[in-house]
């Protein structure tokens, strides 16, 4: 008797980091970029990422019948202010001068929609980041890296930003844009085990 076919997982995001997190966890998602408006007005950071994650998943869901559609969005919160992707190298330097030797919360909203049943689950994962203090020379070199302009809060715990993050409290994968423990919980909420999505080894 043939094994049941694994549910389709669709990532409603063009983030290469999120895609890599899922693949490294044994999943094989399809990617459908939502292209939604990311303006959220004056919402608090945690609520903003939840709204954006649901907006992304809801935009993609009608195009993916019989699939599990996952939307995510991340923002860094410092002193009650949301920090998204920097627009320039100068903004990277300015952001890091605020972050140096400080702590901030990285919030990632997640929304999972089962288009087969209509069930959906939404939540936010938050990870505390402890930042180091790069020298001015290190900051200038870091800001010149093109990858930095794709990072919420102008940082990551991997790549060129890794040496400037002293530590984290919370889900490591959340800092890359997708909390695997929260994804497992959201899947369970719509009646799916994460192991049902594991792909067979090549």
């Amino acid at each position: 008797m043939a094994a049941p076919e694994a549910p389709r997982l669709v990532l409603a995001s063009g983030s290469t980091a999120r895609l890599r997190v899922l693949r490294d966890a044994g999943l094989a998602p399809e990617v459908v970029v939502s292209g939604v408006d990311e303006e959220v007005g004056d919402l608090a950071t945690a609520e903003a990422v939840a709204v954006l994650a649901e907006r992304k998943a809801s935009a993609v869901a009608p195009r993916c019948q019989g699939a599990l559609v996952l939307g995510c969005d991340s923002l860094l919160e410092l002193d009650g202010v949301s920090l998204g992707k920097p627009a320039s190298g100068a903004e990277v330097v300015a952001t890091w001068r605020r972050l140096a030797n400080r702590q901030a919360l990285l919030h990632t909203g997640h929304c999972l929609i089962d288009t087969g049943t209509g069930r959906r689950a939404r939540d936010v994962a938050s990870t505390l980041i402890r930042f180091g203090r790069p020298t001015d020379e290190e900051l200038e070199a870091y800001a010149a890296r093109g990858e930095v302009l794709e990072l919420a809060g102008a940082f990551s715990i991997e790549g060129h930003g890794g040496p400037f993050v002293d530590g984290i409290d919370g889900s490591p994968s959340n800092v890359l844009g997708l909390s695997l423990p929260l994804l497992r919980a959201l899947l369970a909420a719509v009646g799916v085990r994460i192991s049902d999505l594991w792909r067979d080894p090549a």
Side-chain angles (χ1 to χ4, degrees), residues 13-179:
S13 168
S15 166
T16 56
R18 291 189 182 109
L19 180 60
R20 187 172 67 254
V21 166
L22 291 171
R23 285 177 171 168
D24 287 350
L27 310 181
E30 303 169 33
V31 173
V32 179
V33 179
S34 67
V36 298
D37 176 13
E38 298 196 13
E39 178 57 47
V40 291
D42 296 326
L43 291 179
T45 307
E47 180 61 18
V49 295
V51 167
L52 288 171
E54 187 157 18
R55 190 180 295 173
K56 291 177 179 180
S58 297
V60 169
R63 296 179 256 164
C64 302
Q65 293 305 308
L68 299 164
V69 177
L70 177 65
C72 297
D73 195 84
S74 300
L75 289 170
L76 187 68
E77 180 183 2
L78 179 69
D79 299 329
V81 176
S82 301
L83 303 177
K85 296 175 183 176
S88 64
E91 192 174 324
V92 172
V93 173
T95 297
W96 266 91
R97 285 181 174 152
R98 293 175 61 194
L99 294 173
N101 278 358
R102 301 281 306 281
Q103 296 183 352
L105 281 170
L106 190 285
H107 301 287
T108 301
H110 300 62
C111 180
L112 183 72
I113 300 175
D114 184 338
T115 63
T117 65
R119 298 175 71 181
R120 67 176 59 201
R122 185 181 96 164
D123 207 344
V124 175
S126 301
T127 302
L128 181 72
I129 317 296
R130 299 191 299 276
F131 293 95
R133 181 181 289 280
T135 66
D136 288 345
E137 292 79 8
E138 287 170 332
L139 266 187
E140 292 293 341
Y142 179 66
R145 310 296 306 192
E147 71 197 52
V148 185
L149 301 181
E150 297 301 313
L151 303 173
F155 88 101
S156 179
I157 57 172
E158 61 178 9
H160 295 92
F164 308 137
V165 176
D166 287 348
I168 68 169
D169 295 317
S171 165
S173 63
N174 189 53
V175 188
L176 302 177
L178 192 159
S179 170

